[in-house]
């Protein structure tokens, strides 16, 4: 089990960091009372058998809100660190000027403000969390950071060695006659390819059958089109990933969603997976009755 503690100053980017960690596969728990830490770890250790090792990643956000209501975090974190030598504690901070500016822009109240000024609350929080900062394994100063830079820094620190790329690709085959998927980011139309439906022996089959594969790729344009689309996606995906996209939905359509679109979705899955991306395929209309123009 990978366990990460996220702490730091309010306004330094902990909520944003938690969102990015979730995108990286962490299960995030926000504002956990330190008294519940031991019980929470016991619960996390009793994982369902269906979980893969890569899914055993947990991030607990513990900060000044916990200090205000439940007291010092230090004893709980010290005890946890002694029992878990590999524990990572990431501490986010920023300059007082930047935090002041962020609070003014967001119009939110600082958790320690109460009856004191915002500046005084920031300084008090810095003092309250000084021992937590001293225990941190990773300190991130977000003063001059953009959201993208924070995302990249977290990925650099906490992605699993040998893990797949950040971007997940969802390939969905469909039939235009049943409507275009509403959540598609990219749309590929393979209706220009000769239709196996008109071959009586192929009509009851689908794009998952070798006979359909052989028929479609007996036409040179099929292989050429597949190569061009694979090359385009190979070019595009790293840039989608660079811009922070974590899920890309690619819809591949033919008329009925049973033959051509199914085959091309499967072929593209092989190409994309070979480049290290996590890929899922959904054949939306493959089970529909094969009648009419497919």
């Amino acid at each position: 089990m990978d366990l990460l503690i996220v702490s730091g100053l309010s306004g330094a980017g902990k909520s944003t960091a938690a969102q990015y960690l979730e995108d990286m596969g962490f299960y995030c728990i926000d504002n956990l009372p330190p008294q519940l830490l031991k019980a929470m770890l016991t619960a996390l250790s009793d994982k369902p058998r269906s979980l893969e090792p890569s899914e055993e990643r947990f991030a607990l956000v513990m900060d000044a809100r916990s200090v205000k209501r439940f007291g010092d975090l230090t004893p709980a974190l010290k005890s946890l660190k002694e029992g878990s030598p590999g524990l990572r504690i990431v501490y986010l901070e920023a300059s007082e000027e930047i935090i002041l500016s962020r609070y003014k822009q967001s119009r939110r109240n600082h958790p320690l403000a109460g009856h004191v000024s915002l500046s005084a609350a920031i300084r008090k929080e810095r003092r309250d969390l000084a021992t937590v900062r001293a225990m941190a394994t990773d300190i991130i100063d977000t003063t001059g950071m953009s959201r993208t830079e924070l995302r990249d820094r977290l990925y650099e620190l906490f992605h699993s060695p040998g893990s797949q790329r950040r971007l997940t690709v969802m390939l969905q085959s469909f039939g235009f006659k049943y409507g275009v998927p509403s959540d598609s980011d990219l749309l590929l139309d393979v209706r220009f390819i000769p239709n196996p439906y008109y071959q009586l022996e192929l009509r009851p089959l689908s794009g998952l059958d070798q006979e359909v594969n052989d028929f479609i790729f007996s036409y040179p344009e099929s292989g050429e089109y597949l190569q061009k689309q694979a090359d385009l996606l190979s070019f595009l995906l790293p840039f989608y990933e660079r811009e922070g996209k974590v899920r890309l939905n690619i819809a591949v359509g033919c008329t009925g969603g049973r033959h051509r679109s199914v085959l091309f979705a499967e072929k593209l899955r092989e190409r994309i997976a070979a480049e290290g991306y996590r890929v899922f395929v959904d054949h939306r209309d493959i089970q529909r009755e094969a009648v009419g123009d497919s």
Side-chain angles (χ1 to χ4, degrees), residues 53-291:
S54 61
E55 297 176 294
E56 295 184 73
R57 312 189 77 198
F58 303 97
L60 310 181
V61 181
M62 304 175 70
D63 52 32
R65 294 168 296 169
S66 298
V67 173
K68 180 178 179 181
R69 292 183 177 274
F70 304 105
D72 191 6
L73 298 175
T74 308
L77 292 182
K78 279 185 177 179
S79 175
L80 178 60
K81 201 167 186 180
E82 290 171 0
S84 306
L87 176 69
R88 302 279 293 273
I89 301 176
V90 58
Y91 186 93
L92 282 80
E93 62 183 7
S95 68
E96 182 175 326
E97 293 74 17
I98 288 295
I99 293 178
L100 280 169
S101 174
R102 290 172 181 172
Y103 268 101
K104 288 179 180 179
Q105 291 177 31
S106 68
R107 298 184 180 180
R108 295 189 62 195
N109 196 24
H110 192 282
L112 301 184
H115 301 292
V116 301
S117 68
L118 180 54
S119 294
I122 295 170
R123 291 193 291 270
K124 181 179 187 308
E125 182 179 36
R126 202 181 293 273
R127 291 193 302 270
D128 289 346
L129 295 177
T131 54
V132 176
R133 185 184 189 278
M135 297 170 60
T137 56
D138 305 278
I139 297 175
I140 301 177
D141 188 337
T142 66
T143 297
M145 275 190 174
S146 66
R147 290 174 64 97
T148 300
E149 290 170 333
L150 175 58
R151 179 202 69 202
D152 291 343
R153 179 60 177 151
L154 290 169
Y155 185 78
E156 176 188 332
L157 289 172
F158 303 116
H159 79 283
S160 298
S163 63
Q164 292 172 308
R165 308 284 288 268
R166 278 177 285 179
L167 180 67
T168 295
V169 178
M170 180 70 187
L171 284 161
Q172 185 175 58
S173 68
F174 73 96
F176 278 95
K177 67 192 292 185
Y178 302 115
V180 176
S182 60
D183 60 348
S184 55
D185 298 304
L186 298 177
L187 178 62
L188 308 183
D189 183 353
V190 295
R191 288 176 294 181
F192 70 93
I193 293 170
N195 196 341
Y197 177 84
Y198 295 113
Q199 306 298 314
L200 295 181
E201 70 278 12
L202 299 180
R203 184 176 299 181
L205 303 180
S206 77
L208 299 177
D209 293 298
Q210 185 62 41
E211 295 89 339
V212 173
N213 178 93
D214 294 343
F215 172 81
I216 288 177
F217 282 98
S218 67
Y219 295 89
E221 60 267 31
S222 299
E224 186 175 354
Y225 177 78
L226 174 63
Q227 187 60 53
K228 288 180 181 296
Q229 289 295 349
D231 289 343
L232 178 61
L233 292 173
S234 180
F235 170 78
L236 289 175
L237 295 184
F239 294 112
Y240 279 116
E241 191 173 44
R242 183 189 66 184
E243 292 305 302
K245 198 168 186 63
V246 295
R247 186 179 181 89
L248 184 72
N249 296 320
I250 303 175
V252 185
C254 61
T255 308
R258 182 175 177 83
H259 296 105
R260 295 165 290 178
S261 61
V262 170
L263 177 59
F264 275 88
E266 289 290 338
K267 294 294 186 182
L268 288 172
R269 176 191 62 78
E270 295 172 2
R271 301 292 186 94
I272 295 170
E275 297 197 17
Y277 294 96
R278 184 186 297 108
V279 188
F280 298 99
V281 177
D282 172 42
H283 300 304
R284 192 191 72 178
D285 300 323
I286 193 173
Q287 296 300 330
R288 291 181 183 267
E289 186 177 1
V291 296

Side-chain angles (χ1 to χ4, degrees), residues 42-55:
T42 300
L44 294 179
S45 298
D46 297 334
K47 69 174 181 104
R49 293 183 178 181
S50 59
L51 285 183
E52 297 293 332
S54 61
E55 297 176 294

